[in-house]
Amino acid sequence: MEKLLFEIGTEEIPANFMPGIMTQLKELGEKKLKEQRIPFTGVKTYGTPRRMTLLVEGIPENQADSVVEAKGPAKNIAFGPDGAPTKAAMGFARGKGVEVKDLELRADNYVYAVKHLQGEPVEKLLPVVLKDILTSLSFPKNMRWADFDFRFVRPIHWLVALFGTKIVPVEITDVKSGRCTLGHRFLSKGLVELASADEYEKVLGEHFVMVDQDQRRETIRRQIVELAQAEGGEAQITPDLLEEVNYLVEYPTALCGKFEDKYLALPKEVVITPMRDHQRYFPVLDKDGKLLNKFITIRNGGKEHLETVAHGNERVLRARLSDAEFFFNEDRKVKLADRLEKLKTVVFQEGLGNMNDKSKRLAESVGVLNALLDLKLDQEELKRAALLCKTDLVTGMVTEFTELQGVMGREYAL
């Protein structure tokens, strides 16, 4: 039994594409191998920002033997009264590549051609299988490069295709498969040669690439938790952000940065949104859930010069928070009610007017619903809330940080 390794090396792939690519690559690998009657014991997929890898275990030297059956003419058509085969039977046998004498007459009174096919060497079949997998992959967005008609998620720079220790020849555009891969973009130098498919994870690990995304995700999570605890807090780790960061790095190292205490006077969401949604940082909270002036981010590299890296991240976040502070202070100079007129410049939907029209319709609707549902809410307060609930769309804060719509309406209303 041998392992099959197929690594597609590319330029950096968008992180949000990768989970889907991993699922699709596994499904395609299993499907294409089964179509060629190639047995296997397991299929794994690995992914980093610039590689997607299929690793298949337990493949024998030869594909599985098979029996192919074809239903032919009825007995009274295939054989004459004397039992001799007719032209129909002889033509059917010839078309199916069997001897007339080997045709089988079954209980349903039809003849069948049965062929026993011996499995071919797997090594001979793999080039077609791998090329088929490669060209069958689909992505949310594709690219073309150079003067090639082929489209892929990002330009392909290298291919590794190994069946045990043997190279499986695959070629796409001007790239030919071999046994050489690439390690970490900065921490590893030059080509990395693989003697066999078995040593893939080990060798790339030595060249600062953690190819197993599950291991990498858990490493990132553990580093964040431990670093936050060391800083006297608890990191706010959302699954979506953790998954995105997982596919942004090949060799993760967590580091902690800080920002000025004055920004803690802003609403918590105003600080967390640019930190998390724009910079991919993990906020740090104290035991009571209060935001601390610290954040954790993941570096794609080792522990060297972390202070310099942290300083650079702090400068970027400081600029974001400075913008947020400015918008928060400026926005509060105008009452929400005074922004109703500006909602006329925001289209709700073509044919259905603008957001000012929508707000007026909403104000009328909630009054009717209040009565129908017997909610016993103050009618005037309810209508006023409905009328003002869209006004934060024209504030500077929501214009800059669209994720905060609704949230800022609450803050400014308070």
Side-chain angles (χ1 to χ4, degrees):
M1 297 290 186
E2 296 285 1
K3 279 186 181 179
L4 170 65
L5 170 67
F6 187 40
E7 181 191 62
I8 305 168
T10 67
E11 293 181 11
E12 271 75 0
I13 302 168
N16 59 325
F17 289 7
M18 288 302 296
I21 291 174
M22 293 295 96
T23 300
Q24 187 184 171
L25 184 59
K26 186 175 189 292
E27 291 174 351
L28 276 173
E30 293 173 344
K31 178 185 175 184
K32 301 300 181 183
L33 289 169
K34 288 176 181 176
E35 286 176 354
Q36 293 295 327
R37 308 194 320 275
I38 299 175
F40 55 88
T41 59
V43 175
K44 296 179 182 178
T45 52
Y46 297 133
T48 76
R50 59 185 192 138
R51 73 193 77 224
M52 57 188 83
T53 305
L54 180 71
L55 188 65
V56 187
E57 298 177 321
I59 299 181
E61 293 293 329
N62 295 304
Q63 71 177 151
D65 296 341
S66 67
V67 177
V68 180
E69 294 185 357
K71 188 178 181 180
K75 176 185 177 181
N76 60 346
I77 297 175
F79 300 101
D82 58 353
T86 63
K87 287 185 178 180
M90 290 186 283
F92 172 66
R94 184 169 56 252
K96 298 303 177 183
V98 300
E99 298 292 331
V100 178
K101 63 181 178 62
D102 294 327
L103 291 176
E104 297 182 8
L105 179 62
R106 295 188 178 173
D108 59 356
N109 284 324
Y110 281 84
V111 295
Y112 288 80
V114 180
K115 292 177 69 176
H116 295 270
L117 302 177
Q118 187 176 357
E120 294 187 65
V122 168
E123 187 178 346
K124 178 182 175 182
L125 303 170
L126 286 178
V128 175
V129 172
L130 296 186
K131 181 71 172 287
D132 197 9
I133 292 171
L134 176 59
T135 55
S136 297
L137 287 165
S138 61
F139 311 97
K141 290 184 180 180
N142 290 304
M143 290 182 66
R144 286 175 55 191
W145 61 98
D147 56 353
F148 305 116
D149 291 329
F150 179 70
R151 295 173 181 269
F152 207 66
V153 62
R154 288 293 184 269
I156 297 173
H157 287 304
W158 77 88
L159 294 171
V160 177
L162 294 176
F163 181 49
T165 59
K166 300 174 184 176
I167 295 175
V168 180
V170 181
E171 184 173 354
I172 195 75
T173 60
D174 58 348
V175 181
K176 295 181 180 180
S177 62
R179 62 174 70 253
C180 289
T181 182
L182 290 175
H184 190 278
R185 185 180 287 279
F186 305 113
L187 302 180
S188 175
K189 304 297 181 183
L191 295 173
V192 178
E193 186 172 325
L194 299 170
S196 71
D198 288 316
E199 62 178 28
Y200 179 66
E201 289 182 68
K202 176 178 176 292
V203 170
L204 276 180
E206 293 169 352
H207 288 81
F208 304 98
V209 176
M210 195 179 292
V211 292
D212 187 332
Q213 62 273 6
D214 295 333
Q215 178 190 357
R216 197 169 60 245
R217 185 188 304 108
E218 180 54 29
T219 299
I220 292 170
R221 190 200 63 78
R222 177 178 48 78
Q223 288 185 5
I224 293 172
V225 170
E226 291 176 354
L227 185 54
Q229 290 174 348
E231 293 291 332
E234 181 178 335
Q236 189 179 75
I237 304 175
T238 57
D240 289 347
L241 180 56
L242 180 61
E243 189 72 350
E244 183 177 4
V245 171
N246 185 31
Y247 287 109
L248 288 173
V249 298
E250 291 189 321
Y251 190 75
T253 300
L255 60 95
C256 183
K258 299 181 180 180
F259 56 89
E260 289 87 340
D261 286 338
K262 67 176 183 176
Y263 295 121
L264 293 176
L266 296 170
K268 185 164 72 171
E269 291 87 351
V270 172
V271 180
I272 289 178
T273 295
M275 188 186 300
R276 184 177 58 207
D277 297 347
H278 293 251
Q279 300 305 129
R280 312 301 184 263
Y281 299 161
F282 295 88
V284 180
L285 312 177
D286 65 15
K287 62 179 189 271
D288 298 321
K290 184 179 178 183
L291 186 66
L292 299 178
N293 65 325
K294 298 176 182 180
F295 64 88
I296 294 174
T297 186
I298 302 297
R299 177 195 191 180
N300 185 23
K303 296 183 178 180
E304 297 78 11
H305 312 295
L306 283 184
E307 299 82 3
T308 303
V309 179
H311 180 66
N313 282 276
E314 289 168 353
R315 289 182 60 187
V316 174
L317 181 60
R318 187 180 301 116
R320 288 281 187 182
L321 294 180
S322 178
D323 289 344
E325 182 183 46
F326 171 78
F327 291 128
F328 186 64
N329 291 332
E330 289 298 306
D331 287 343
R332 286 184 297 160
K333 294 177 181 178
V334 180
K335 293 181 178 181
L336 290 180
D338 295 338
R339 296 184 183 276
L340 277 169
E341 189 68 21
K342 196 173 181 182
L343 281 180
K344 293 180 179 179
T345 65
V346 182
V347 175
F348 167 50
Q349 186 172 327
E350 190 174 353
L352 293 179
N354 53 53
M355 294 305 294
N356 183 284
D357 300 324
K358 178 180 172 67
S359 297
K360 291 177 180 177
R361 291 196 297 268
L362 189 60
E364 293 303 316
S365 299
V366 295
V368 175
L369 288 171
N370 187 33
L372 286 174
L373 299 175
D374 195 26
L375 298 177
K376 297 182 174 59
L377 297 174
D378 184 277
Q379 198 81 335
E380 291 305 314
E381 285 189 1
L382 192 61
K383 285 188 176 183
R384 178 169 172 76
L387 192 65
L388 300 181
C389 71
K390 302 296 181 183
T391 52
D392 69 339
L393 292 175
V394 291
T395 62
M397 183 72 79
V398 174
T399 301
E400 179 70 13
F401 304 106
T402 56
E403 303 89 346
L404 289 173
Q405 58 181 296
V407 173
M408 295 315 302
R410 179 195 67 204
E411 294 296 333
Y412 292 146
L414 290 173

